[in-house]
Amino acid sequence: MKMTEKDFREMIVSERIAMIIKRELKNGREAFEEGEKTIKGLELETRKVIEAYLEVLASDDADIQEAAYLGGVWDGIYLMAKIFRIVWEREEQEGRQ
């Protein structure tokens, strides 16, 4: 299956967010393993409901992180454009004097 431009962009953003965050929860591995063990011990129907719920939470979290990252990128671009404009206008005014 060929990767689309959207898939590629999402992959790049996700990798960059992971690099920035580098978050590790205390006892994260233990909590994950304990949660997996607990979920596997549930009845099949209950497990499916819990897994679907966790998938939605993870997806929503990923969307929020992506939006925050891209918002920050656009804010940075906007601020740099304003700074360049201010500097350019000052240099232009100083050149007229």
Side-chain angles (χ1 to χ4, degrees):
M1 183 174 159
K2 187 176 179 183
M3 182 180 283
T4 66
E5 181 180 337
K6 182 181 181 217
D7 294 336
F8 180 72
R9 188 175 54 245
E10 287 176 357
M11 181 187 73
I12 297 295
V13 169
S14 295
E15 288 177 2
R16 184 64 183 139
I17 289 170
M19 289 170 55
I20 291 169
I21 293 175
K22 291 184 183 177
R23 67 178 180 187
E24 289 186 35
L25 301 175
K26 291 182 181 178
N27 304 318
R29 188 75 191 154
E30 290 175 22
F32 177 80
E33 289 172 0
E34 188 66 30
E36 284 288 311
K37 182 179 167 184
T38 302
I39 289 172
K40 286 181 181 178
L42 297 172
E43 292 180 20
L44 181 61
E45 288 302 315
T46 304
R47 183 175 23 159
K48 285 182 179 181
V49 169
I50 297 293
E51 288 173 345
Y53 171 71
L54 292 174
E55 189 172 315
V56 168
L57 285 178
S59 177
D60 286 351
D61 186 47
D63 291 344
I64 290 167
Q65 287 181 11
E66 180 180 357
Y69 177 79
L70 292 174
V73 168
W74 285 115
D75 285 348
I77 291 169
Y78 174 77
L79 289 173
M80 287 304 300
K82 284 195 84 87
I83 290 169
F84 286 141
R85 185 175 187 167
I86 291 168
V87 169
W88 183 71
E89 287 173 354
R90 282 187 185 166
E91 288 179 357
E92 197 173 73
Q93 285 176 349
E94 290 173 3
R96 286 189 219 155
Q97 295 176 353

